[in-house]
């Protein structure tokens, strides 16, 4: 398979499989956190398992095995930006997992979690999310040019 197609396939797999799964997990966490759910038991273990699953899926994406010609600087730039996104995504999964573990311990009365500790963990999740969003934005800019170049081969021929 052509190296450009391999890169595009891996990035699309990340967006479609990993990021969408993460969004679903995060939506479940948000739904559990709503005020009307205050008396309902939270599924912290399920949330933690889903976050770890997302991280495992991201870790399974390997771009090191793609042979990119030295002269294709754009492809190298896309792969570097993608690897940066993967690092930020894994960090977000880790911080989200730590928050869920802290809330679980508090719910089980195993550990007294002060509001300041919760706020600090929540802020770390927000910071990790912002870092990921920034990295995704940077990658999208170079990826759009890269994917557009890929489409040039199959571009529409204008008839006069």
């Amino acid at each position: 398979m052509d190296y450009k197609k391999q890169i595009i396939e891996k990035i699309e797999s990340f967006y479609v499989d990993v990021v969408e799964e993460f969004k679903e997990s995060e939506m479940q966490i948000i739904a559990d956190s709503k005020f009307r759910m205050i008396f309902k038991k939270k599924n912290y273990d399920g949330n933690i398992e889903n976050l770890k699953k997302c991280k495992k899926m991201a870790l399974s994406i390997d771009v090191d095995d793609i042979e990119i010609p030295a002269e294709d600087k754009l492809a190298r730039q896309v792969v570097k930006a993608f690897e940066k996104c993967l690092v930020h995504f894994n960090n977000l999964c880790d911080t989200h997992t730590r928050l869920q573990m802290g809330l679980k311990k508090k719910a089980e009365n195993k550990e007294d979690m002060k509001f300041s500790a919760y706020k600090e963990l929540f802020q770390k999740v927000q910071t990790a999310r912002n870092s990921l969003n920034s990295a995704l934005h940077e990658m999208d800019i170079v990826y759009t040019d890269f994917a557009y170049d890929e489409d040039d081969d199959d571009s529409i021929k204008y008839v006069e």
Side-chain angles (χ1 to χ4, degrees):
M1 181 186 298
D2 179 53
Y3 73 95
K4 288 184 177 183
K5 288 183 179 169
Q6 287 178 325
I7 294 168
I8 289 170
E9 187 177 281
K10 292 194 185 234
I11 291 173
E12 287 179 0
S13 172
F14 173 69
Y15 273 117
V16 172
D17 300 331
V18 181
V19 173
E20 288 304 315
E21 182 74 26
F22 178 80
K23 285 180 182 178
E24 287 179 28
S25 297
E26 202 169 44
M27 292 306 292
Q28 182 59 47
I29 291 169
I30 291 168
D32 282 351
S33 301
K34 300 268 183 190
F35 181 73
R36 66 178 186 265
M37 304 296 278
I38 196 166
F39 297 111
K40 190 173 181 185
K41 186 174 183 198
K42 312 293 187 272
N43 185 7
Y44 295 114
D45 288 328
N47 294 339
I48 292 166
E49 184 179 318
N50 287 338
L51 292 166
K52 286 182 178 182
K53 178 178 144 189
C54 291
K55 181 179 177 179
K56 186 176 180 180
M57 289 169 60
L59 288 172
S60 72
I61 298 174
D62 186 17
V63 290
D64 291 336
D65 59 344
I66 300 174
E67 293 184 31
I68 303 169
E71 65 273 2
D72 194 343
K73 292 183 175 137
L74 183 58
R76 292 188 180 282
Q77 191 177 6
V78 168
V79 168
K80 185 177 179 180
F82 181 51
E83 288 174 328
K84 183 178 176 183
C85 289
L86 291 172
V87 168
H88 285 285
F89 180 81
N90 291 330
N91 183 47
L92 176 58
C93 288
D94 288 343
T95 56
H96 232 310
T97 300
R98 282 194 294 276
L99 177 61
Q100 290 297 302
M101 291 170 76
L103 292 171
K104 177 186 172 193
K105 287 178 183 176
K106 179 172 175 49
E108 294 174 346
N109 292 323
K110 291 183 178 176
E111 188 176 295
D112 186 32
M113 180 184 235
K114 295 184 183 210
F115 181 73
S116 59
Y118 165 78
K119 188 175 175 182
E120 182 181 334
L121 281 170
F122 184 79
Q123 186 60 42
K124 286 181 181 181
V125 170
Q126 293 298 97
T127 301
R129 182 181 293 109
N130 291 339
S131 295
L132 173 62
N133 286 337
S134 177
L136 287 170
H137 178 71
E138 290 173 20
M139 183 187 71
D140 285 344
I141 292 169
V142 291
Y143 179 71
T144 301
D145 292 340
F146 179 76
Y148 180 77
D149 286 347
E150 176 67 20
D151 292 339
D152 273 350
D153 297 339
D154 301 321
S155 63
I156 299 171
K157 307 287 187 241
Y158 290 101
V159 179
E160 292 181 27

